[in-house]
Amino acid sequence: KDAGSNQFLFDCDNTKLTIYDDTNDADLFAIQVSVTGDTTISTDYASAGGANADMTLAPDGDLYLSPVAGDVSGDINNFYFESDSDYGPQLVLKNTKNSSTNSTLLFWKDRGAGSSDDDKLGYISFYGENAADQFSYWCHIICTIETAADGDEGGKLDFQVASHNGTMTSGLSIVDGSASGELDVNIGAGT
């Protein structure tokens, strides 16, 4: 409670801590933990007739999301962004600096040792259902180290598409050439 009359109301049960605005018990922030340790952090104002309640994380430095190593669940390194809206969810990288710079989506591979030829550096996949409600990959964009040799570094960028029976096939491949400033491009697969 502050020096005035404003205050927050706290409600705690076995699995959930809820913080309410003192003027509206539907304006809330909640942390809920299940018996298995699954945790949900949520906001709610829409149910009280207001706008959707945003959540902002504003660290004075970098923000790290680091799954715990050694978990046997098999999906400890996945981060899910879910939405039931048309064209959602959107991942927005917004740069507000008044300059000619831009936002950056950076894939960073750090083996803790020198890289090797054919190391994958980044993988973007497009995944969805077919007409039988079965999940399948439809396209991949893959960045690979073609040549890792110091002084001869060369990359490879593949655009793969599911071809007729779901087989992922490179339709466009841009690869390091045999000289500085030269690239080889392979287009198409089959006739």
Side-chain angles (χ1 to χ4, degrees):
K1 181 175 181 179
D2 64 16
S5 60
N6 295 327
Q7 60 185 350
F8 289 104
L9 304 178
F10 295 82
D11 180 19
C12 187
D13 61 25
N14 290 335
T15 62
K16 187 175 184 180
L17 168 66
T18 306
I19 304 172
Y20 299 96
D21 184 323
D22 66 332
T23 61
N24 187 344
D25 63 5
D27 183 6
L28 63 88
F29 167 82
I31 302 173
Q32 183 165 6
V33 181
S34 76
V35 293
T36 60
D38 294 338
T39 303
T40 301
I41 299 174
S42 59
T43 60
D44 184 10
Y45 186 56
S47 65
N52 291 328
D54 296 333
M55 181 181 295
T56 301
L57 302 176
D60 187 23
D62 294 334
L63 175 64
Y64 293 90
L65 302 175
S66 300
V68 177
D71 190 315
V72 295
S73 65
D75 58 355
I76 59 170
N77 294 318
N78 294 332
F79 296 89
Y80 292 91
F81 300 86
E82 295 185 12
S83 171
D84 62 357
S85 302
D86 290 337
Y87 304 107
Q90 294 183 15
L91 178 61
V92 179
L93 305 177
K94 181 179 180 181
N95 184 322
T96 59
K97 184 172 178 63
N98 185 11
S99 71
S100 61
T101 61
N102 56 277
S103 299
T104 302
L105 181 62
L106 175 65
F107 291 81
W108 183 354
K109 168 76 173 182
D110 184 0
R111 305 172 54 141
S115 294
S116 298
D117 293 358
D118 300 322
D119 278 2
K120 301 292 186 285
L121 300 180
Y123 212 102
I124 300 175
S125 293
F126 300 85
Y127 192 64
E129 300 168 329
N130 63 13
D133 199 27
Q134 299 165 331
F135 283 98
S136 178
Y137 286 105
W138 298 88
C139 296
H140 296 312
I141 301 173
I142 308 165
C143 177
T144 307
I145 294 177
E146 178 72 9
T147 304
D150 185 19
D152 290 323
E153 298 88 352
K156 180 180 181 183
L157 187 63
D158 273 317
F159 293 83
Q160 296 183 346
V161 176
S163 58
H164 192 64
N165 63 353
T167 302
M168 298 305 296
T169 305
S170 289
L172 173 63
S173 181
I174 305 170
V175 64
D176 172 35
S178 57
S180 177
E182 177 185 295
L183 295 173
D184 295 331
V185 179
N186 298 311
I187 301 175
T191 56

